[in-house]
Amino acid sequence: MATRGRRPVKGKIRPPPRREAASVDLEKAWATLANAIVTIHEKKADTLSYEEIYRCGYNLVIYKRGELLYDGVKNLIEKHLESEAQTKIVPVLGMADASPSEGVQVLKAIQTLWKHHVTCLLMIRDILVHMDKNYVPQSRLPRTYDMGLYLFRDTVIRSSVHPIQHHLQMVLLDQITMERRGDVIDRGAIKSCTEMLLEMKENDGIDSIYSKDFEILFVETSREFYRVESDDLVRRFDPPEYMRKVENRLDEEHERCSYYLTEKTEPKIREIVEQEMIAKHLKTVMEMENWGLKQLLIDNRLEDLDRMYRLFSRVANGSKELQGGVSIYIKECGRAINANVHDSTLDNVDKGVPPGVALALRWVQEVLDLKERFNTILTTAFAKDKPFETAINSAFEKFINLNPKAPEFMSLFIDNKLKKDFKGKSDDEVESILNKTTTLFRFLSDKDVFERYYKQHLSNRLLLGKSVSDEAERGMISKLKIECGYQFTSKLEGMFTDMRLSIDTMSSFRDYLTNTAERPSLDLSVTVLTSTFWPVPSTAVPCNLPKEFLDASKVFEKFYTSRHNGRKLTWHSTMGNVDLRASFDTKKHDLNVSTMASVVLLLFNDVPDGESLSYATIEQATGLPADHLKRTLQSVACGKFRILVKEPKSKEVADTDLFKFNAGFTDKLSRIKIQSIASKVETALELKETQEKVEDARKHMAEAAIVRIMKNRKTLDHNNLVTEVISQLQGRFNPAPSMIKKRIEALIDREYLERAPGDRTMYNYVA
């Protein structure tokens, strides 16, 4: 069903009729409002009617008298401030001129006026809320409160009539200077004034006047203050005390900025202190005689070193300078350690340790002690800083490799530890010593030389049964493998494999003897060595073995070749030992001596009592080379257990000496082990021979690396080939580019490589 709608009623919403301005007395309203502002300034606001004066401000705005209201309020506040500045601040300015200590009165006067002004502004702002919400935004003027702050800034602080700004600046700077010199000041007054400056803004309404009116000048005067003070302090105090004062200044400035300035000022002042007191005097502090960095390191003054590190790290190049100083000192200590490598300087040498070995032990121990000291310094004073760790390690590497005997010394040190020094030590102590030694090994550039010595010393320990612990031995090899890779330790591990297989071989040999009629007249124990693993000469040292020894060896050879067809055995008398029973006048003793010593001693079975054999006779009968024979005779005639008597008596063996059996020998031990002459440091001639052998081995390693690289790359230019070869070999030694170039030429001559046609810097691999 359809319905007919009503016609809409047209109409308007009309505002109520506005009263004419004449009906509101605007002049009276302004007068009331102006009187109220004066009353507020007079601190009598409690006598006013808030509703009445608010209505006055409201009416002036709605009746388009906002400009009158705004300008009137501004003029009233400005006149009030001018009057207050004239009567309450200007009179005390002279006190600051008369005495800096009285300048705080200026701060208090300004602060008193500021606090009263802010209190009045808050009341006036509340009265003129309607103006701030309507007229001010439309006219793009500052709000009442902001306008009042601008007036205080321009009328009081930056007064064009009175020198208030200058006095405020000078008083603040004088008070801070007084505090820096140790005087007690009114910090609260300074804090109130800086907060005032921070609250007042520039015309942009963003930046405070603190920066322009105070901070810039404060930074300039602080720079001059610390420039003068640093020059004075560095002359008067030693570096440790100077650094303590610098540290105190940094702490004071941080606390000062946090308490009564602003945290934004702190970085600027900190930079000034760092530049004037640290950066400008870096070298002076470090190099001061008797008190500089060197003396701190000598005295191990960790606290002062820590302070120096923290301060120097604040400035550019400070850390590098300190690292350089530490590096120089380490190198000086290293040179001193290297310079003391002389037999004549030895003292407190353990009995029975040859001077050369004692020298090696002392050198390594001194280096370890120095490294331990700098590890402590790095941890305690330098906060385990990586660049400092690198600088320290680089300095150690430098001076260690200046000692050409460093690889041998380290091997002898480890040899000594693994032979006897680890007796009675816990696993943790053993591990600690091995770790420290491995750290030194890491610094060696000629690791292949170390390997050569270590292999020799390890073979002696294994074959003579001198190693204290197989676990320690394997632990050391594991550490070397981690440092240099499997190839470095493969032969060392092969030596242990041979020792294990030899035990199984001897077990089979004993089973063999039970089933054969060919039994040797003596108990035989054989260690079969793989010639490529062990540091044994290709030809055995000549030695005329007794018939019993030869017969026994033939029995073993027959057994061994029956099980290992095609293998050849070479007997090395220099590496074995023999158990003998010797009858003396009072007692029988079981002697454990080297094979060569047993050959010498058995000669005296056929010598009548009391008669002697000459050196020449012994030499002819044994067939031993002179150097081996003399060391053997020294061990049995000049050592702790003198089985033979030498005439004339001396520690050295001469070609004219005579020897006879010492029938009167006595000792409380029934079983006596007579050591061969202990390992000693190589002579100059032996060192030269070792170096020649090492150089030959390096040539082969370099050529092998070149062939490996070229086989993979096929074609490569000279510079990249040299770089890759160095990269592959630097774990063993640092090859010189000139040496690599010679090996490339040798390979070209042998047609492993060829130069690319048209470009002599390119090489091709020849398949």
Side-chain angles (χ1 to χ4, degrees):
M1 182 176 66
T3 59
R4 188 172 56 181
R6 293 183 179 182
R7 293 182 61 188
V9 179
K10 295 183 178 179
K12 287 185 178 180
I13 300 176
R14 300 176 183 275
R18 179 175 293 183
R19 291 180 296 173
E20 295 295 328
S23 63
V24 178
D25 191 346
L26 298 179
E27 294 297 331
K28 182 179 178 181
W30 164 244
T32 302
L33 189 58
N35 182 64
I37 292 173
V38 172
T39 302
I40 290 172
H41 282 148
E42 292 175 350
K43 302 180 181 180
K44 299 177 181 178
D46 56 337
T47 63
L48 298 174
S49 168
Y50 175 80
E51 182 180 356
E52 179 185 358
I53 56 180
Y54 177 84
R55 175 61 63 181
C56 291
Y58 176 84
N59 288 334
L60 287 169
V61 173
I62 65 173
Y63 287 109
K64 306 299 183 181
R65 296 295 188 272
E67 182 178 359
L68 169 68
L69 175 60
Y70 190 88
D71 290 343
V73 172
K74 181 177 180 181
N75 290 332
L76 282 174
I77 295 174
E78 185 174 11
K79 288 179 181 179
H80 169 74
L81 290 175
E82 288 176 351
S83 173
E84 291 293 294
Q86 176 68 39
T87 58
K88 296 183 179 178
I89 296 178
V90 173
V92 299
L93 296 181
M95 299 176 65
D97 294 333
S99 173
S101 61
E102 293 297 324
V104 71
Q105 300 304 324
V106 175
L107 303 183
K108 290 181 177 179
I110 294 174
Q111 188 58 30
T112 300
L113 177 57
W114 165 255
K115 287 181 178 179
H116 175 59
H117 176 64
V118 169
T119 302
C120 295
L121 275 181
L122 293 173
M123 295 181 184
I124 296 170
R125 181 193 65 183
D126 292 343
I127 295 170
L128 303 176
V129 168
H130 194 69
M131 182 184 75
D132 283 345
K133 286 184 177 180
N134 295 276
Y135 173 74
V136 168
Q138 294 172 6
S139 303
R140 297 184 178 179
L141 294 171
R143 295 180 183 273
T144 303
Y145 184 82
D146 295 333
M147 175 261 289
L149 297 184
Y150 291 147
L151 288 174
F152 193 91
R153 177 195 70 190
D154 297 333
T155 307
V156 179
I157 301 301
R158 295 178 178 176
S159 172
S160 59
V161 180
H162 310 296
I164 297 175
Q165 182 186 41
H166 171 74
H167 280 78
L168 173 62
Q169 292 170 338
M170 290 304 101
V171 170
L172 287 173
L173 295 174
D174 287 345
Q175 291 292 305
I176 293 174
T177 301
M178 289 169 59
E179 186 179 47
R180 284 171 173 166
R181 290 173 177 165
D183 295 334
V184 178
I185 63 170
D186 189 341
R187 305 183 99 209
I190 299 177
K191 181 178 182 180
S192 298
C193 285
T194 54
E195 288 175 346
M196 171 191 73
L197 295 175
L198 286 167
E199 188 168 353
M200 286 186 284
K201 307 295 182 181
E202 297 290 353
N203 291 333
D204 59 9
I206 299 174
D207 299 326
S208 69
I209 69 170
Y210 170 87
S211 176
K212 185 176 181 181
D213 285 32
F214 172 71
E215 188 181 60
I216 294 175
L217 190 59
F218 174 60
V219 169
E220 291 174 355
T221 55
S222 296
R223 188 180 302 279
E224 179 62 20
F225 174 85
Y226 282 115
R227 183 189 67 79
V228 174
E229 182 176 77
S230 65
D231 291 341
D232 178 56
L233 294 179
V234 82
R235 286 194 301 267
R236 290 169 50 203
F237 297 102
D238 57 62
E241 184 61 28
Y242 176 79
M243 290 188 295
R244 278 191 283 272
K245 291 188 176 298
V246 173
E247 190 173 51
N248 289 338
R249 282 302 191 194
L250 286 167
D251 292 341
E252 289 171 6
E253 293 298 340
H254 176 76
E255 191 274 338
R256 180 175 294 115
C257 291
S258 299
Y259 183 75
Y260 62 70
L261 296 178
T262 171
E263 292 183 355
K264 292 182 179 180
T265 303
E266 195 269 339
K268 301 174 184 178
I269 297 301
R270 183 179 68 239
E271 189 268 341
I272 288 173
V273 177
E274 290 170 352
Q275 289 300 314
E276 296 297 330
M277 301 194 77
I278 303 175
K280 285 177 60 176
H281 300 288
L282 277 177
K283 289 195 174 291
T284 302
V285 172
M286 280 181 53
E287 298 172 2
M288 187 174 291
E289 190 174 357
N290 298 327
W291 281 109
L293 172 62
K294 181 177 180 179
Q295 195 62 43
L296 296 182
L297 292 170
I298 291 173
D299 296 340
N300 207 36
R301 298 178 63 165
L302 298 178
E303 183 180 349
D304 292 326
L305 287 169
D306 173 55
R307 185 177 294 108
M308 180 177 283
Y309 164 75
R310 286 186 284 103
L311 293 178
F312 280 30
S313 297
R314 289 172 169 267
V315 299
N317 298 322
S319 289
K320 288 186 177 180
E321 290 288 344
L322 188 55
Q323 291 165 25
V326 172
S327 180
I328 290 172
Y329 173 74
I330 292 174
K331 291 174 184 176
E332 288 178 359
C333 293
R335 282 195 294 269
I337 293 173
N338 289 340
N340 288 334
V341 183
H342 300 296
D343 291 346
S344 58
T345 62
L346 287 171
D347 52 10
N348 299 324
V349 177
D350 291 341
K351 188 175 181 181
V353 178
V357 177
L359 189 66
L361 299 181
R362 191 192 66 178
W363 182 87
V364 176
Q365 190 58 54
E366 287 181 358
V367 175
L368 283 174
D369 292 343
L370 184 65
K371 187 66 174 70
E372 183 69 19
R373 183 153 70 93
F374 274 91
N375 284 344
T376 302
I377 291 173
L378 177 66
T379 302
T380 307
F382 297 155
K384 297 182 180 180
D385 192 309
K386 285 295 181 184
F388 275 85
E389 183 178 5
T390 301
I392 290 171
N393 290 342
S394 177
F396 271 89
E397 182 177 355
K398 184 73 174 177
F399 85 76
I400 285 174
N401 289 296
L402 288 176
N403 180 7
K405 293 187 176 182
E408 183 184 7
F409 282 2
M410 287 190 192
S411 181
L412 282 169
F413 181 84
I414 297 171
D415 182 59
N416 182 73
K417 294 294 181 184
L418 292 171
K419 281 198 299 190
K420 57 182 181 180
D421 275 16
F422 284 162
K423 286 183 179 178
K425 284 186 168 55
S426 66
D427 291 343
D428 290 341
E429 291 174 317
V430 171
E431 183 71 11
S432 175
I433 294 173
L434 293 182
N435 284 337
K436 291 176 183 178
T437 309
T438 305
T439 300
L440 293 193
F441 167 76
R442 195 175 296 137
F443 297 140
L444 279 178
S445 59
D446 296 335
K447 293 181 173 63
D448 56 336
V449 180
F450 170 87
E451 179 193 13
R452 189 177 188 86
Y453 288 116
Y454 190 84
K455 191 187 297 182
Q456 181 65 54
H457 296 146
L458 174 61
S459 71
N460 290 338
R461 291 196 300 275
L462 294 179
L463 295 176
L464 300 178
K466 293 182 178 180
S467 182
V468 173
S469 167
D470 282 348
E471 186 177 347
E473 291 280 7
R474 295 184 183 278
M476 187 65 207
I477 290 178
S478 296
K479 294 182 186 302
L480 295 176
K481 182 188 288 188
I482 292 172
E483 292 296 324
C484 301
Y486 169 77
Q487 187 179 2
F488 187 88
T489 59
S490 59
K491 293 183 179 180
L492 303 179
E493 291 175 327
M495 294 164 70
F496 279 95
T497 301
D498 282 349
M499 295 299 294
R500 187 182 69 253
L501 293 177
S502 293
I503 294 174
D504 296 337
T505 299
M506 287 312 301
S507 176
S508 299
F509 179 58
R510 283 190 287 270
D511 293 340
Y512 168 80
L513 292 178
T514 60
N515 299 317
T516 182
E518 295 180 299
R519 295 187 181 181
S521 59
L522 48 82
D523 290 335
L524 179 65
S525 178
V526 180
T527 304
V528 182
L529 313 180
T530 304
S531 59
T532 54
F533 294 163
W534 297 76
V536 294
S538 56
T539 57
V541 174
C543 181
N544 298 328
L545 294 174
K547 183 178 181 301
E548 296 87 345
F549 290 15
L550 293 174
D551 292 341
S553 64
K554 289 177 180 178
V555 173
F556 181 81
E557 284 184 23
K558 183 178 179 181
F559 155 77
Y560 191 79
T561 54
S562 67
R563 282 163 172 73
H564 302 281
N565 188 27
R567 293 189 182 181
K568 180 183 177 182
L569 293 178
T570 302
W571 296 89
H572 290 272
S573 57
T574 56
M575 307 178 77
N577 59 85
V578 177
D579 287 335
L580 299 175
R581 173 159 292 183
S583 299
F584 299 95
D585 291 343
T586 59
K587 189 177 181 181
K588 291 182 180 181
H589 290 277
D590 291 331
L591 307 179
N592 178 263
V593 296
S594 68
T595 303
M596 293 184 294
S598 70
V599 173
V600 171
L601 292 176
L602 288 174
L603 293 176
F604 289 88
N605 281 340
D606 301 325
V607 178
D609 294 345
E611 292 189 15
S612 302
L613 291 178
S614 66
Y615 172 83
T617 302
I618 297 173
E619 183 178 29
Q620 182 178 4
T622 61
L624 288 169
D627 55 340
H628 287 277
L629 179 57
K630 287 182 178 180
R631 284 203 298 270
T632 300
L633 288 171
Q634 277 183 310
S635 67
V636 295
C638 305
K640 179 180 179 182
F641 304 106
R642 300 190 178 185
I643 309 303
L644 301 181
V645 177
K646 185 177 82 70
E647 296 178 0
K649 293 183 178 181
S650 65
K651 291 185 177 180
E652 300 297 328
V653 174
D655 295 348
T656 57
D657 289 345
L658 297 175
F659 298 87
K660 65 179 179 179
F661 181 67
N662 183 12
F665 173 81
T666 59
D667 194 89
K668 61 182 180 180
L669 297 175
S670 296
R671 180 176 173 80
I672 298 172
K673 187 172 185 177
I674 300 177
Q675 303 279 7
S676 300
I677 296 300
S679 302
K680 65 182 189 324
V681 176
E682 288 185 329
T683 63
L685 180 60
E686 291 171 333
L687 180 61
K688 183 179 179 182
E689 292 176 355
T690 299
Q691 289 173 341
E692 290 175 353
K693 293 176 181 177
V694 169
E695 288 301 322
D696 288 339
R698 287 179 175 180
K699 290 177 183 178
H700 296 309
M701 282 190 284
E703 290 182 356
I706 293 169
V707 170
R708 280 197 305 271
I709 294 168
M710 291 303 300
K711 187 174 182 180
N712 181 51
R713 302 290 291 275
K714 305 303 181 185
T715 300
L716 197 62
D717 66 275
H718 177 80
N719 290 337
N720 282 324
L721 178 56
V722 170
T723 300
E724 289 200 32
V725 171
I726 292 174
S727 176
Q728 285 197 14
L729 297 180
Q730 63 186 0
R732 303 293 297 274
F733 67 98
N734 292 325
S738 58
M739 187 268 272
I740 297 174
K741 183 179 180 182
K742 289 180 181 179
R743 300 334 311 153
I744 293 173
E745 296 292 342
L747 290 170
I748 291 174
D749 292 341
R750 302 204 308 268
E751 298 183 352
Y752 283 91
L753 307 178
E754 66 178 8
R755 295 186 187 278
D759 189 352
R760 293 182 58 81
T761 63
M762 295 292 294
Y763 304 113
N764 295 330
Y765 176 70
V766 180

